[in-house]
Amino acid sequence: MNEIEVKAKLIDKEKVLECIKNSGAEFLGKKHQKDIVFWPNHIRKIEEGVNLLGINYLRIRNQESENGKKIIFTLKQPTTNQSDCKEYEIEIKEADIDNLESIILNLGFYEFCITEKNRETYKLGEIEICVDDVVGLGKYIELEKFGKVEETEKIQDELSEVLKSWGVKKEQHTWDGYDILSYKLKNNL
């Protein structure tokens, strides 16, 4: 199963949060996440329209919540776009981060960017809702649902309709991850 998502920039976070609460979504908690994203050495420049399908990338996520601290290592494999990925995750010990980073670098990856965000998470049926305040980028919302790759378009349309019902317009959507958005901001793209 793939994690399929739709992401959008929020213009009115408070209005959207009110819509989420009125929808009956269950509040799951707040987290602070710091992600170190690693890209393959042969991809040093991201240009508009570059096809990143089939390009594996890696992430080390340092996550703190009221439930404690977790370090999660993830391999992401985009299948139809960056918002539709196969993900493989394992939790690691904080003491292993330096060794893991050395392994990643020696496998031919480099540190592409670091992103930091505060995240509020909700659950509405099979949909996970993440409301993010991303350092340097602003406020975003992600709706995520698991499904088969052949269901990607259908699921993304379903998630887009939920956002639309909350007043989030199509032109606010982005198919880029926070890593790419950070890169574009840094490089004036």
Side-chain angles (χ1 to χ4, degrees):
M1 295 291 237
N2 285 16
E3 179 184 85
I4 300 166
E5 70 179 41
V6 172
K7 179 185 299 162
K9 179 107 170 130
L10 286 177
I11 294 169
D12 189 345
K13 177 183 173 184
E14 296 310 314
K15 178 184 172 193
V16 172
L17 283 173
E18 186 178 316
C19 291
I20 292 169
K21 290 170 186 165
N22 290 339
S23 74
E26 175 190 1
F27 178 69
L28 300 179
K30 294 182 179 185
K31 306 169 189 169
H32 179 80
Q33 297 175 327
K34 182 178 180 181
D35 295 342
I36 306 171
V37 178
F38 299 88
W39 280 77
N41 279 333
H42 69 278
I43 300 177
R44 291 288 176 162
K45 189 174 180 186
I46 307 294
E47 295 175 8
E48 207 58 46
V50 166
N51 184 352
L52 298 174
L53 299 184
I55 304 297
N56 294 335
Y57 60 102
L58 308 170
R59 177 184 69 206
I60 299 174
R61 171 171 284 169
N62 187 327
Q63 176 174 287
E64 294 183 44
S65 70
E66 58 211 23
N67 298 326
K69 189 174 190 173
K70 278 185 178 181
I71 310 295
I72 304 164
F73 174 62
T74 306
L75 163 65
K76 289 187 157 229
Q77 296 177 314
T79 53
T80 60
N81 58 49
Q82 200 185 10
S83 296
D84 171 22
C85 291
K86 284 185 183 177
E87 291 190 359
Y88 304 92
E89 294 185 337
I90 59 167
E91 193 170 338
I92 64 168
K93 296 176 186 165
E94 189 169 11
D96 293 334
I97 291 175
D98 289 341
N99 283 335
L100 180 58
E101 284 186 19
S102 293
I103 290 168
I104 290 168
L105 296 173
N106 281 292
L107 284 172
F109 289 80
Y110 71 100
E111 185 179 296
F112 181 71
C113 73
I114 297 174
T115 59
E116 227 172 311
K117 64 184 169 287
N118 291 310
R119 170 170 277 183
E120 293 180 38
T121 309
Y122 301 82
K123 190 76 169 174
L124 182 62
E126 296 178 332
I127 301 170
E128 184 173 276
I129 304 162
C130 302
V131 179
D132 296 332
D133 190 351
V134 186
V135 174
L137 294 176
K139 295 165 180 40
Y140 285 81
I141 186 168
E142 291 181 358
L143 301 187
E144 303 172 348
K145 187 174 178 180
F146 285 93
K148 297 176 183 170
V149 70
E150 55 270 11
E151 300 173 317
T152 298
E153 189 175 335
K154 178 182 159 209
I155 290 172
Q156 286 179 330
D157 287 346
E158 173 192 341
L159 299 176
S160 293
E161 284 300 312
V162 173
L163 286 177
K164 182 180 175 185
S165 75
W166 295 342
V168 178
K169 297 178 181 165
K170 198 80 163 175
E171 49 272 7
Q172 292 169 247
H173 291 209
T174 179
W175 301 111
D176 292 330
Y178 296 133
D179 54 346
I180 300 293
L181 291 171
S182 295
Y183 176 87
K184 286 180 175 180
L185 180 68
K186 181 180 172 185
N187 292 284
N188 298 313
L189 298 176

